[in-house]
Amino acid sequence: MKRLLHMLILVAAASAAAASHAAPSVELKVTGVIRPAACTPTLAGDGVVDYGNISSATLRQGQTTALPARQVVLTVSCNAAAKIALAVVDNRSSTRLAGITDGIKAGADYNFGLGMVAGKKVGGYVLSFESGATADGRGVSGLVSSDLGNSWNGGNSFIQHEGNYYTFSDNGTQPSVQKVLSAQIKVQPVLNKAEELPLTQDVALDGSATIEVKYL
């Protein structure tokens, strides 16, 4: 009996000694999220280029009528430096009038629809980037890509309504990186011939295009 009690005491002592040498542990975690830059485009004047009231007497029989060009400033603001491009979608593509912009030397790819009234197409308009764009305050030049940004060519004056990417460059070959991009867009509308419009009622100009930011 004494021998058994002695063995139990030894086992208990050994267990206590092992417990006294067991080191406590704590887990270290490394967390976080890598987020892409987020960019927001805005247009001056809420993006509205308003030609106000246009007298029907200024429209001509047998000829289209080009309205004065106007400009609107586009700003793209990013929360971190980013390389971006722009694409433009014609929201009134079903109202495009073939040949309406030929007189201002802009072909079908650059002809945006200007709406329809009483089944008659109102006209069209052309968008183009003006010189003087800036990236974080420094001057940049235009580039255009027809293959989703895989290659770039200099010059991006007229804006195509599908397929092309437009960006700006410090060196004339590759897109710039910036937090704030500022560019001026020229708008040039052309109205249909007087006899092709329902001029006994109000004829509203209803052009609409969406400018999309593409991350490169």
Side-chain angles (χ1 to χ4, degrees):
M1 184 67 179
K2 289 182 179 180
R3 185 176 179 182
L4 177 60
L5 180 60
H6 181 68
M7 290 179 64
L8 291 173
I9 292 171
L10 289 176
V11 170
S15 298
S20 67
H21 287 88
S25 64
V26 64
E27 180 182 7
L28 182 147
K29 295 182 178 181
V30 179
T31 64
V33 178
I34 299 174
R35 296 190 184 277
C39 300
T40 302
T42 57
L43 287 165
D46 294 325
V48 178
V49 180
D50 187 1
Y51 280 85
N53 294 321
I54 303 167
S55 172
S56 61
T58 61
L59 274 65
R60 297 171 291 181
Q61 295 287 326
Q63 298 183 56
T64 59
T65 301
L67 297 179
R70 294 191 178 173
Q71 287 75 31
V72 60
V73 175
L74 167 70
T75 302
V76 183
S77 301
C78 306
N79 60 4
K83 186 185 296 185
I84 60 171
L86 304 169
V88 183
V89 177
D90 183 4
N91 299 325
R92 299 290 183 268
S93 58
S94 63
T95 72
R96 291 179 197 149
L97 180 60
I100 189 70
T101 56
D102 289 352
I104 54 175
K105 299 181 181 179
D109 290 343
Y110 311 104
N111 174 10
F112 287 73
L114 201 51
M116 185 178 292
V117 175
K120 300 292 186 178
K121 295 179 179 179
V122 175
Y125 64 100
V126 172
L127 301 175
S128 58
F129 287 110
E130 299 278 69
S131 60
T134 61
D136 292 340
R138 63 188 187 274
V140 286
S141 59
L143 296 176
V144 60
S145 172
S146 59
D147 56 9
L148 304 181
N150 291 307
S151 63
W152 297 97
N153 295 306
N156 63 4
S157 180
F158 284 138
I159 299 173
Q160 190 169 315
H161 44 59
E162 55 188 60
N164 280 1
Y165 279 11
Y166 301 90
T167 193
F168 296 87
S169 173
D170 291 299
N171 58 18
T173 60
Q174 291 298 315
S176 59
V177 177
Q178 66 279 306
K179 292 184 68 175
V180 180
L181 174 68
S182 179
Q184 189 164 257
I185 297 175
K186 183 170 76 171
V187 183
Q188 174 68 74
V190 181
L191 303 181
N192 203 353
K193 301 171 185 177
E195 67 271 21
E196 296 294 334
L197 293 172
L199 297 181
T200 57
Q201 65 182 85
D202 286 351
V203 177
L205 280 60
D206 184 32
S208 172
T210 298
I211 300 173
E212 301 176 342
V213 175
K214 303 293 185 180
Y215 299 95
L216 302 175

